[in-house]
Amino acid sequence: DGERLGEVTDPGRRPAAAPASARQRKAEDSSESREEEAMSDGQDWFSRGQRSGRAPARPKLNLTQQALPWSEQYKGKANLHVFEDWCGGAVRHLRKNLHFPLFPHTRTTVRKLAVSPKWKNYGLRIFGYIHPFKDGDFQFSVASDDNSEFWLSSDDSPSNSRLAAFVGKLGTEWTAPGEFTKFSSQVSKPLRLMSSRRYYFELLHKQDDRGSDHVEVGWRVFLPSLKFEVIDSSYISLYTDESALKMNRVEHIPQTLASHSGSHLWEAQQDEHGADMLKPDPRDTFFLTPAIEASRVENVLVPCAYSPTYVVKDFPIARYQGLQFVYLSFVYPNDFTRLTHMETENKCFYRESPLYLEKFGFYKYMKMDEEEEDPQQRAFLFLSPDNFLEDEEEEEEGVDSPEPTDPPPEAKEKSFGAVPGTEGKETLPDGEEDEGRLLASSKRARALSLQPHLSVPIFGGKAKTPGPSKPAVPREDKKPRKAQEKVYVTRLQPGKRKAPAQEPAFPGIFLYPKPLKKVHLRSRTPQKHPVTSGKLRARRALPGLLALGTEGLFSRETHEDTSPAPGRTAATTDYNSSEATRSEGMRVTSFLKMSETTASQQEEGKGQEEEEEEEEMSDYSYEAGELQQSWLEDSINWQRTFSVSSVDFELLRSDWNDLRCNVSGNLQLGESEVVDVVAQYMEKLNEKNGGIYTLLRIVNVEKRRDTARGNRYLLELELAERGQRTVRLSEYVYVLLHQGKQDDSAEANAAGPALGATEPPPGTWSLLYGKPVLCRPLRLSWKQDVMVHFVVPVKNQARWVQQFISDMARLYGATKDPNFNVILVDFDSDDMDVEKALRDARLPRYQYLRRTGNFERSAGLQAGVDTVEDGHSIVFLCDLHIHFPANILDSIRKHCVEGKLAYAPIVMRLTCGSSPREPNGYWEVNGFGLFGIYKSDFDRVGGMNTEEFRDRWGGEDWELLDRVLQSGLEVERLRLRNFYHYYHSKRGMWNARSKKPSKD
C-alpha cells in the first residue's frame, strides 16, 4: 500500500516504484488469478520464486490420490490438527514447521468451521468434507486473524483440491470476525456443486502472538444480495476417524498441494537466509575422505608427555563453578560459526556496552578527514587588543555584537596583525588576497590556546577544543594589555573592501524545546548577506552570536582530537546548557557572560522581541503542530570522508569460556601460526615416508592454548598420496615449551611405557631446552571406529521421538557408519509405540528400555549408560529436540580421548519459527547437557547424580561437569556447525499438568 501511494503522490518515484509495485501486485493477487494458477499447473500460491525472477523446481510430491472409506457416522464434525510453538502470522510460516503436516501436537475434531482457541503462536489444519444442501453455484469466503487459506476439491479426492479463497500471505493481513469482504481474495469465484456429492476441503490458519485469534468459513448461494453464513455441523463431515490411532500413525493423513510432507523444504528454498554457517564447508564432509594408514603417521614425531597446566585434578571446585575452568579452542580456517545475521539485535561481540553503541555507534573507530574550506570564511581568535577591527569606543557595543557592522575608517586602513603564536611570519599586505596564506594562517589559528583565566564559554555541541600551543607574545608597538584580557572573535577581511552584510553562521544552533524570552545584546536590524557554508542554517539571524565560521570552531569534532583546555566550557550535546541562561530563564546568544549584557541593551531589544515572539513560537517547538515552511533543514555534507585502520576484533577475545556473548563464534587462529606448524609436520611426515605426500588443503586446525607448557593442535589435512590417492590426516600434535629435562622425562615415564628406540637421547632434550618442540603427545590419540552410544530419555513426545529416530536413520544413510547405537529410555509413553518405531527404522542398532513412573532425566540417562557393557566406548548424553550434522559421529570421536578428553559441543538454540534452513537463534553457551565421554571415565567420576535430581532437571549437567573436571579430564568446548536445538515450549512435556480451559 505504501508503494502504491508513492506512485500517486510522488511522480519522481514512479519509474523506480513500478517494478516494486508490479511485484507486490503479483504477491497480493486476487483470488481469481490465484485459483487459475492452482487449477492450471499446480503452482498455485507457491509464488515465492517470483521474487528472484525464477520459479525453483518443485520436488516430487506424494499426494493422496484415493480417499479413505467414508461412513455416515462421520457427519457433523471435521478433523482438526494443531501445530503449537511456531511463530509467524503467514500460512507459509506454518508450512516451514518441521512437523507439518504429519505430526501435529494435537489431533481432535471441530463441529463447525469457526474456531477461536484464544491462544498464540499456533497453526491449524482443518480438513474433511462439505455436503451442499442443494445443487447450484456457491461462493465461499474465509475470514481470520492472521492469515488463512481455504482449499476445495472438485470431488472427494484430496489431490484435486485447489485454492479457493485466502486472507493475505505476508502475515500482516487480518480481518475482524465475520468480515468476509475486506479483501478481494477472501471471496471465491462461483463454484458449481451438487447435493448428491461430497467435496474435500482444507482450511489452513496461522496465528501469531497478537490479535484476537479466529478463523471462519462462510458460504452462500451465488446471489449478490445474500450474506455469507458460517458452515456449521449440518454440512460437514470427518475425513477419517483418528480417535483410536497413535500419534506416530500418519498413513491416513491426506497430503495435498496445500499440505504435504516436503513443504518445509519447499518453503525454505524460496527465501535466502543470511547465515554464513549455511554455506558449504569442507569440514562438513571431510569424514567421507579415506583416512591415511595408521602406520604412515606412527613415530613421525618424537613422543612427549602431555600434562597441561589448566587441568584442575583434585582441585576443590564449588558447586557449579566448573564453568569457570572450561576454556575454548581456537579454529582455523574460519568456520563461520559467528552468528553475524543475529548481530542486528545483539552486538556483544564488539564488547562495547549496548547503551554506548546505541548512543555513539562505531564512530570512535573512524577519523574524519580534514575538510577543504573557504579561507575567506575562516574564523580567527585574536588575544591582543590591538588586533581588533573595532576601536576602543565601540568595544562595549561592537565587540559583543554578532551582527555585521561596517568597521570604522581607521580599521579599514589597517593591516591585520599576526596571529598569536605566529610571530616572525609575514603578515598580509593591504589589499592582497593570498588564499593559500590565509588558509595556512587559519590552521595555525586553530592551534591557539586559551589561558585558564580567560573564562570564555565557546561551545559547539560535541566539538573538541584546539590543542595547546605557546602563549601569545604582545607586540611592542601596540598598547599594553588590560588586567584581564578578553577574547575577541571577528572575521578576517581580505583587502580594503567594505565588508558585505552577512547573516550569522550559527542562526539555528540554539534549538530549545520551547521558545523562551531573548535578551538582545544589540537591537539593530540585521543586514542580508549570503549564508556561509556551514552545518546548521535557519531562516533568521539569532541576535547575540558572533560571526564565526561554522567550519571553524563549531565543527571541530571532525578535525581535532584533543582534550579541552582549562577554563573552557565542556562540550555537551545540549547547545544551551549554560548555567547562566538556565538560571535567568532567558535566551542569551552570546559568547560573553550574561553579566556583560547591559541594561540599556536589554531595553533596546524589547521592541523587536515583541515583534518576533509570535513567529518564534513555532521555529523549533515540540508543542507546534508542524514546522514553518520557511525553516531550512540541516545541511548534510555528503562529501565527508574518513580514515580507518584495519581492526581485528578477534584479537580482543580470549579463550575464557565467555558466558555473556551468545552470538560470537569459535575463536579464530592466526594463519601464520598454522602454516608454521603444518610445514614442520609435513616435513617430518615426508621425511619418514619418502616424500610421497603432498598437502592439498588445510581443512581444519584446532588449538588449545597453554602458555606455560605448550599448545595442543588437532591437524586435519587433505593430502595426495603419490599424486593419486586423496587421504585425510587427523592427528593431535603438541608444541612443547620445555621447562627442564628432569621434569619432562619424569612426566614421560609416568605417562606410559618406555619409549624404546623412538625416544631421543637425554642430550637432545638438553639441547632443545627453552625452544618449542613439535612432538606427539603421549596417550592423546583418538580412535576412528569406536562405538558411540546416543542415550536419550523420553516420555509422551511422539512427534519429537519420531523425528529423532528419523534423524538417526538419515545419519546412518549419510555416513554408512555402523558403529553407533541408539538407546531410548521410555517413561511409559502412551502416545506412540516407541519400540515399534525403533524396530521399523533403518538403524544399525538400538536398545529400548522401559521405565515406569514420572520422567527423571538423570535417572533415565544413568539407566541408559548402565546398559553399555564396553567401557572403551563413548556415551553421548543427548536431548530429544536436536538436529545433528552429518559429521556428528566424527566430531564426537575426535574430541573424546579415554582418560584425557571429554566433549561438550555448543549447540545453537533456534528461536520460535526458525529451522535448520533458516537458523535464527543463539549459541547455548551455558548448557552442558549434550556431553560425550568414555564409559570408563563416566563410571570413574560417579555417573549422574540421581539422588539430588530425582524429580527435577536443570543443573544436573553443571554438577556432572564439576566432577569431570575434578577427575583430571579436559572438556573440549567448541561451537559445532549445523548443530541445532529445535524451539519448543514446555506445554505438554514430561510431568506437566494442564488445567481445564475456561468456557468463555
Side-chain angles (χ1 to χ4, degrees), residues 478-493:
K478 300 297 179 182
K479 291 182 283 188
R481 295 177 181 268
K482 298 181 181 180
Q484 181 170 346
E485 187 179 49
K486 295 181 180 178
V487 173
Y488 295 85
V489 182
T490 187
R491 182 164 302 285
L492 183 63
Q493 300 183 19

Side-chain angles (χ1 to χ4, degrees), residues 531-653:
V531 181
T532 58
S533 61
K535 294 183 178 179
L536 299 174
R537 300 182 181 181
R539 62 178 180 81
R540 185 179 64 254
L542 294 177
L545 264 180
L546 297 179
L548 178 64
T550 57
E551 296 299 327
L553 286 176
F554 177 66
S555 59
R556 195 65 52 80
E557 73 273 13
T558 61
H559 306 145
E560 304 291 335
D561 190 15
T562 56
S563 58
R568 300 193 65 170
T569 303
T572 63
T573 55
D574 183 2
Y575 298 136
N576 313 305
S577 59
S578 168
E579 293 296 333
T581 58
R582 290 181 180 176
S583 61
E584 294 296 332
M586 60 182 68
R587 179 176 296 184
V588 180
T589 57
S590 172
F591 286 138
L592 304 184
K593 295 180 180 178
M594 216 183 103
S595 60
E596 300 178 29
T597 307
T598 62
S600 60
Q601 291 171 338
Q602 295 182 19
E603 291 187 11
E604 283 180 351
K606 286 182 180 179
Q608 186 176 352
E609 177 186 336
E610 293 174 0
E611 282 181 12
E612 297 179 350
E613 177 139 10
E614 183 176 351
E615 60 180 357
E616 187 70 26
M617 286 294 291
S618 60
D619 273 357
Y620 196 82
S621 173
Y622 292 109
E623 295 179 352
E626 57 183 15
L627 297 180
Q628 290 186 358
Q629 294 297 324
S630 57
W631 177 269
L632 298 181
E633 294 180 349
D634 294 348
S635 62
I636 301 175
N637 186 0
W638 299 110
Q639 297 177 322
R640 176 180 291 117
T641 57
F642 68 95
S643 301
V644 66
S645 300
S646 177
V647 182
D648 189 356
F649 292 95
E650 285 287 345
L651 297 178
L652 305 178
R653 302 176 64 193

Side-chain angles (χ1 to χ4, degrees), residues 58-207:
R58 175 190 292 279
K60 291 184 179 180
L61 304 181
N62 184 22
L63 303 184
T64 303
Q65 303 292 336
Q66 188 66 33
L68 296 177
W70 183 81
S71 170
E72 285 286 340
Q73 300 176 353
Y74 293 170
K75 281 190 173 182
K77 296 180 182 179
N79 298 97
L80 171 62
H81 288 184
V82 182
F83 300 86
E84 294 188 49
D85 303 335
W86 200 250
C87 296
V91 175
R92 69 185 188 93
H93 295 149
L94 174 61
R95 291 189 174 98
K96 291 182 181 181
N97 191 311
L98 180 70
H99 299 134
F100 182 83
L102 299 181
F103 296 96
H105 288 55
T106 304
R107 298 198 303 215
T108 183
T109 60
V110 64
R111 294 185 176 276
K112 62 191 302 188
L113 300 189
V115 181
S116 177
K118 291 188 177 181
W119 195 235
K120 59 185 179 180
N121 291 330
Y122 67 86
L124 299 180
R125 187 193 187 200
I126 305 174
F127 57 96
Y129 294 108
I130 285 180
H131 302 262
F133 56 86
K134 60 175 290 188
D135 295 347
D137 292 336
F138 285 83
Q139 272 188 312
F140 294 86
S141 181
V142 61
S144 63
D145 184 353
D146 296 298
N147 290 181
S148 60
E149 293 179 358
F150 178 71
W151 293 67
L152 188 66
S153 176
S154 56
D155 50 26
D156 62 350
S157 174
S159 62
N160 293 328
S161 60
R162 295 295 183 266
L163 182 64
F166 64 94
V167 174
K169 60 171 289 184
L170 303 177
T172 57
E173 305 90 343
W174 57 274
T175 73
E179 190 178 14
F180 287 112
T181 57
K182 181 176 181 179
F183 302 102
S184 61
S185 61
Q186 285 181 259
V187 183
S188 71
K189 294 197 309 186
L191 300 173
R192 187 73 176 178
L193 303 180
M194 300 178 64
S195 60
S196 59
R197 297 183 179 180
R198 63 179 183 270
Y199 299 87
Y200 175 83
F201 79 92
E202 188 166 329
L203 175 61
L204 301 179
H205 172 231
K206 186 67 185 74
Q207 167 66 20

